[in-house]
Amino acid sequence: AVAGVQIDVTATGSGDHTIDTAAEVRYTCNGTFKTDEKPAEVIGNINTSMAGKAAWIGGWWYIFAGSYRTPTVSLDEGDLRGGALRVEAGVGGRECFNGVKGVFTSAENKWQPADFPAVTNAAYLAEDGGERTWKDLDLPFTTSAAMAQRMAKIDLERVRQEITVPKMRCKLLAYTVQAGDVIQVSNTRMGWTDKPFEVIEATLAVEEDSDGIPYFGVDLALRETAAAVYDWSAGEETEVDPAADTNLPDPLTVGAPGAPNMAEALYTTSFSSGVKAKAIITWAASADAFVEAYQFEYKLAADGTWTILPRTADTTLEILDFQAGVYDLR
């Protein structure tokens, strides 16, 4: 048995963020699932189609599509139950990334998974020391390449909003706040004035005062957010090939590495062989995320036969006892 799903989610949002929805609605959910699949997996696939999340709160499912929600609650130091506000300024290295790539269900590819254009950010790459790190995004219920790119950018912008508050111990007045809401937080010590945070978790807490009398409060887990996370314009979209040449990826198209460079050095050998020359070969890494190894070859310019060295994941190697001459490298 197969259950069909088609959910149109038009998330117009609010605030001063911008999005170009002239060509298509922001999100649609298009896909099927079998009735024996786990509900958590089905809900997860639906969430991917709208850059959103679903939360079980007080016996009800709440669905939050990927759109900025204008804060209606503001909290400051006077709303806390006491104690210092613990703040974490960054996410772990494994959780952070500066590029998003992945697959969506492409009609042009006979409804098979196809790559959507990768979304990157040069500023984030520079912040990470020039090291490209990727997140793979699987969008099984998305059939639009433009929509896939929009959601990839949201994923990228979300993770770069790195300030988190693991536990904000609030008074009971914060009971109106629930997971998925966006609130404003002001804190003099942290230099925040109406800084927007998304509520990740809201928990009712019971504590005792100095006389042993219990009282209620609310503990909030927060992650910073911004309206600009959801911005998008038509100029950011990268077109995909409307008529794919094959159902399979081209295994022969690989991003080329930099041209090899050779430097000469002398080294002392063992067993009284004396001083010999060695060649140190270096090259710039390929920008292709799928490159696993390099294979270096060289020959004397006058020869027709190449010497092929074993593959290596490094971008440098040494050739010992290298003889004088004019060489071709590749």
Side-chain angles (χ1 to χ4, degrees):
V2 175
V5 174
Q6 181 163 358
I7 304 174
D8 292 338
V9 181
T10 304
T12 57
S14 55
D16 57 0
H17 58 296
T18 60
I19 184 167
D20 182 4
T21 57
E24 64 179 15
V25 297
R26 190 179 299 198
Y27 306 120
T28 62
C29 178
N30 304 284
T32 62
F33 59 87
K34 295 182 179 180
T35 54
D36 61 356
E37 291 185 46
K38 295 180 180 179
E41 295 177 357
V42 177
I43 292 172
N45 288 336
I46 294 174
N47 286 341
T48 67
S49 71
M50 58 178 176
K53 62 189 68 174
W56 180 258
I57 303 172
W60 291 83
W61 280 108
Y62 288 80
I63 299 175
F64 302 96
S67 178
Y68 185 71
R69 293 174 288 281
T70 301
T72 58
V73 174
S74 298
L75 302 175
D76 56 28
E77 293 96 329
D79 301 313
L80 301 181
R81 302 198 307 274
L85 187 68
R86 186 164 69 90
V87 176
E88 296 178 0
V91 298
R94 292 184 178 182
E95 297 181 20
C96 197
F97 48 88
N98 49 48
V100 180
K101 55 184 175 66
V103 295
F104 73 111
T105 302
S106 171
E108 289 77 16
N109 200 40
K110 299 181 180 179
W111 302 106
Q112 298 303 305
D115 293 333
F116 61 79
V119 175
T120 60
N121 185 298
Y124 298 154
L125 179 63
E127 289 178 5
D128 296 341
E131 181 180 357
R132 176 67 71 197
T133 52
W134 293 98
K135 176 180 178 179
D136 288 309
L137 190 62
D138 187 7
L139 303 174
F141 283 6
T142 297
T143 58
S144 162
M147 194 177 299
Q149 292 173 70
R150 291 201 302 272
M151 291 189 288
K153 183 187 176 186
I154 290 173
D155 234 25
L156 177 57
E157 296 296 338
R158 274 176 174 166
V159 79
R160 305 306 295 209
Q161 312 307 309
E162 299 186 68
I163 297 177
T164 61
V165 181
K167 180 184 286 189
M168 184 174 177
R169 300 175 62 251
C170 299
K171 298 175 181 177
L172 192 57
L173 60 86
Y175 189 65
T176 58
V177 176
Q178 66 181 19
D181 289 345
V182 176
I183 65 173
Q184 292 177 326
V185 178
S186 298
N187 188 284
T188 303
R189 182 179 180 184
M190 302 304 302
W192 298 341
T193 301
D194 292 335
K195 181 174 178 60
F197 282 88
E198 183 177 3
V199 179
I200 306 303
E201 184 178 357
T203 306
L204 185 65
V206 181
E207 296 183 355
E208 293 183 354
D209 61 17
S210 57
D211 297 323
I213 300 174
Y215 66 94
F216 290 101
V218 176
D219 292 338
L220 302 179
L222 308 175
R223 178 73 176 266
E224 73 169 325
T225 187
V229 167
Y230 304 95
D231 283 351
W232 182 264
S233 64
E236 296 180 81
E237 180 183 341
T238 301
E239 295 292 339
V240 297
D241 187 355
D245 298 326
T246 177
N247 291 336
L248 298 173
D250 184 358
L252 303 179
T253 301
V254 179
N261 296 302
M262 178 188 290
E264 182 182 355
L266 300 177
Y267 68 101
T268 303
T269 62
S270 304
F271 306 109
S272 303
S273 296
V275 176
K276 294 186 177 181
K278 67 178 178 180
I280 303 172
I281 314 297
T282 59
W283 60 89
S286 168
D288 196 317
F290 298 102
V291 170
E292 293 184 349
Y294 304 93
Q295 189 165 59
F296 177 76
E297 304 177 4
Y298 69 95
K299 70 177 183 66
L300 285 167
D303 290 348
T305 302
W306 291 86
T307 298
I308 303 174
L309 299 186
R311 294 181 179 180
T312 175
D314 298 326
T315 56
T316 183
L317 55 83
E318 294 184 354
I319 306 175
L320 302 180
D321 196 11
F322 206 66
Q323 303 301 309
V326 178
Y327 287 85
D328 294 330
L329 316 176
R330 70 183 186 187

